[in-house]
């Protein structure tokens, strides 16, 4: 069983920075894709950034130029550096990753960490 453990959320003023971290527990193979999602109150969960198994990254338009996703394959760890934060970035942020076997891939999610940006 894979567990994703997140850390780094909190309260910050607009314009500030936060760094989120997520690590997969256990002696497990390297994850396929690793990503961060977020869900604001009353809104659907949305993809923030993804770091693919091929080494490419993609970002939501709303965070491009402000957020940076990084990954440590040896530790099955993914971080999200968030700069120039805005009140609209307030949400619960979730780490997600998938592992692929010979016939299928399985998705796993962290428990979520709250990020609150005050104006």
């Amino acid at each position: 069983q894979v567990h994703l453990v997140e850390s780094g959320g909190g309260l910050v003023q607009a314009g500030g920075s936060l760094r989120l971290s997520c690590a997969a527990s256990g002696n497990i193979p390297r994850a396929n894709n690793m990503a961060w999602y977020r869900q604001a109150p009353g809104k659907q969960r949305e993809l923030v950034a993804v770091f693919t198994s091929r080494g490419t990254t993609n970002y939501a338009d709303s965070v491009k130029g402000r957020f940076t996703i990084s990954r440590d394959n040896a530790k099955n760890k993914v971080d999200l550096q968030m700069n120039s934060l805005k009140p609209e970035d307030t949400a619960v942020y979730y780490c997600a990753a998938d592992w692929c076997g010979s016939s299928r891939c399985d998705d796993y999610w962290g428990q979520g960490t709250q990020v609150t940006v005050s104006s």
Side-chain angles (χ1 to χ4, degrees):
Q1 183 70 20
V2 175
H3 293 282
L4 297 175
V5 181
E6 300 141 340
S7 61
L11 173 64
V12 65
Q13 288 189 329
S17 298
L18 281 174
R19 187 177 184 88
L20 305 182
S21 293
C22 171
S25 63
N27 183 19
I28 51 178
R30 191 179 92 170
N32 189 33
N33 300 312
M34 301 191 82
W36 287 94
Y37 288 75
R38 68 185 180 187
Q39 187 166 20
K43 294 188 177 182
Q44 288 189 330
R45 190 173 296 189
E46 63 173 353
L47 176 66
V48 176
V50 59
F51 203 122
T52 73
S53 59
R54 299 183 305 275
T56 60
T57 57
N58 285 291
Y59 297 89
D61 287 342
S62 59
V63 307
K64 282 180 181 176
R66 301 187 297 121
F67 290 11
T68 302
I69 189 169
S70 59
R71 176 172 175 170
D72 184 335
N73 289 325
K75 298 180 180 179
N76 267 329
K77 183 172 175 282
V78 62
D79 291 349
L80 185 68
Q81 177 65 43
M82 305 184 294
N83 298 329
S84 302
L85 282 160
K86 305 175 181 180
E88 51 264 43
D89 294 318
T90 295
V92 177
Y93 283 70
Y94 297 91
C95 171
D98 65 270
W99 278 262
C100 297
S102 57
S103 59
R104 74 179 201 186
C105 295
D106 293 313
D107 297 331
Y108 294 88
W109 292 83
Q111 78 284 0
T113 185
Q114 178 70 46
V115 171
T116 303
V117 184
S118 63
S119 56

